[in-house]
Amino acid sequence: MADEGTGQPRPLCVDLDGTLLRTDLLYETFLRMLARQPWMLLLLPWWLLRGKAYLKRRLAVHGVGDPALLPFDPRVLELLQANSGRMRVLCTASDRALVEPIARHLGMFDAVYCSDGETNLAGHRKADLLVAQFGERGFDYVANAGVDVAIWRHAHSAWVVNGSKRVARAAAACSQLAAHWPSEGGGPRAWLKAMRVHQWLKNLLVFVPLLASHRFMEPDMVLSAALAFAAFGLCASGVYLLNDLLDLESDREHPRKRKRPFACGSLELRSGLLVTPVLTLAGFLLAWWVAPAFLLVLALYFCLTLAYSLRLKQVVMIDVVMLAALYTIRIVGGAAAIDVTLSFWLLTFSMFIFLSLAMLKRYTELQMTLASGKLKPSGRGYHVEDLALVQTLGTAAGLVSVLVLCLYINAPESQALYKHPVFLWFLSPVLLYWICRAWLLAHRGQMHDDPVVFAVKDPGSLITVLVGGLSVLAAI
């Protein structure tokens, strides 16, 4: 740790993006701008023409929220705490408007060097500054990327944090490698979690028209429905990734969502921006193969989901109506994929049952907000005083869905579709039981904030689905 010429401890210089932070502030500010003012995308080429430092300064205007919520790497924090006896320097290419609040929050640094809107402090510029301040081989440097090799060439010791083995070898070739701490998390499991593959269960709704039309014994119809299921899944995963990218700050304030891969830094934001359009495009290509009408439905789903992610999820009541509509569109898509006409009964039932589930989701979020001592959940337009009203509206919508189901079962056109329609009456008490039980558990604070996750893991829900399925098969 001591400089061989002066005998004084060498300064410990630490990079910020990807090192001290498991994220990149350039992408953080870009996504924050995209979520708030998407039209400013048109200005990005002009800003970039004026230099990367200027681009960072313009994006920094949007900030990154509370520094305490950012995903710091605990290993680097421990390293800084263990070296409190020597000068600690934060040296980063991020803009000063973002870096100084982070440095003040940590209270660990004796000096801060960063980009200032005119000079982009990266690569050789950063190396020249550190050599001018501390001399050749007069400092230790902690960083993560290949661009930092230009600094390690002039450093005494190198810490490679969240960098690949190739970067570690390059650092060791030009400096004394003190440690290599590979990236924690990430990989296929993190991507599957970010893509919310378990949420693909919602897309099983595309099979409802196939079952309702009694065409599930026709192989070509089953194949079309299966491809529609996959198309919805790919498109939905693309939207989930985009939603997580645009919702970083509010996710980090949430007790469960803060563990999502982008929010906690286990996946790079840059990778998310690349994978998101790939998944979405794959879904559209598959939809085009299934049927042009289905492609139009999927495009409508994507546009509504995008509008929901960007703005509508913050508007009271419109958000839950949109969620109910997005569930229903899956059923519409299933009908378009196999070219059948949807009944009035099915659409009406779908809107009410899914409105109840959307209300259930908001109710549990408000309960968690109240338990955390806050008055309003981040990124939502509700207040904790709305709990009783949301519960009332949600249970009412659920009970109306049971009424619509009863009217459907009793309708002459429905009776004509089944050999033994009397067995359909088992559906009504089964659905009534599930809705009442779900809201009772939510009232007790025992409901997962995602009803789909609850339904998959809850034995009572699985038994309900089994009994309902057997009733329909018996009726056919």
Side-chain angles (χ1 to χ4, degrees), residues 24 88 116 211 236 341 378 428 458:
D24 190 311
R88 296 169 295 183
D116 57 7
L211 299 175
T341 302
S378 178
S428 298
D458 175 53

Side-chain angles (χ1 to χ4, degrees), residues 234 237-239 241-242 245 271-281:
L234 291 170
S237 288
V239 173
L241 293 182
L242 179 61
L245 291 170
S271 299
L273 287 169
L274 292 174
V275 174
T276 295
V278 171
L279 289 175
T280 306
L281 181 60

Side-chain angles (χ1 to χ4, degrees), residues 92-103:
T92 173
S94 289
D95 190 81
R96 183 176 301 279
L98 305 174
V99 177
E100 289 186 341
I102 293 173

